[in-house]
């Protein structure tokens, strides 16, 4: 299984936000072996699988933005 590419954060695998522990994704409910922590400043939900983050499911579910590491974009559709 290849690594998921993050459009706004291509170096995510080199940063500390990726946690390699088992847990349950609080977005899709799947059991996961690695997840992203501390990406939503306004929510306590801190166990989000990579898939939910990369496809936007997490952002929609929690109505949150990746305020801590999202790059400013000029494209209004983003
Ligand atoms: Zn998930």
């Amino acid at each position: 299984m290849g690594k998921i590419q993050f459009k706004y954060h291509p170096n995510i695998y080199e940063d500390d936000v990726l946690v390699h522990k088992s847990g349950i994704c609080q977005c899709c409910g799947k059991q996961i072996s690695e997840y992203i922590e501390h990406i939503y400043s306004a929510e306590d939900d801190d166990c989000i699988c990579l898939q939910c983050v990369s496809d936007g499911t997490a952002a929609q579910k929690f109505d949150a933005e990746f305020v801590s590491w999202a790059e400013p974009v000029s494209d209004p559709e983003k």
Side-chain angles (χ1 to χ4, degrees):
M1 191 173 72
K3 290 183 176 179
I4 298 170
Q5 294 299 312
F6 286 84
K7 185 182 300 181
Y8 303 119
H9 201 278
N11 295 323
I12 189 168
Y13 294 99
E14 300 174 4
D15 289 341
D16 293 335
V17 294
L18 189 62
V19 180
H20 292 272
K21 292 188 295 187
S22 61
I24 302 295
C25 174
Q26 297 183 19
C27 183
C28 66
K30 292 180 181 177
Q31 185 151 16
I32 52 182
S33 58
E34 61 183 10
Y35 57 88
I36 295 172
E37 193 172 52
H38 304 312
I39 56 174
Y40 300 114
S41 61
E43 297 284 345
D44 289 332
D45 303 289
D46 60 354
C47 181
I48 308 298
C49 73
L50 301 181
Q51 185 63 54
C52 285
V53 174
S54 68
D55 67 9
T57 302
Q60 290 181 7
K61 183 176 181 64
F62 299 115
D63 192 24
E65 296 181 356
F66 304 108
V67 293
S68 64
W69 47 273
E71 294 287 337
V73 292
S74 57
D75 188 337
E77 293 185 356
K78 293 292 188 296

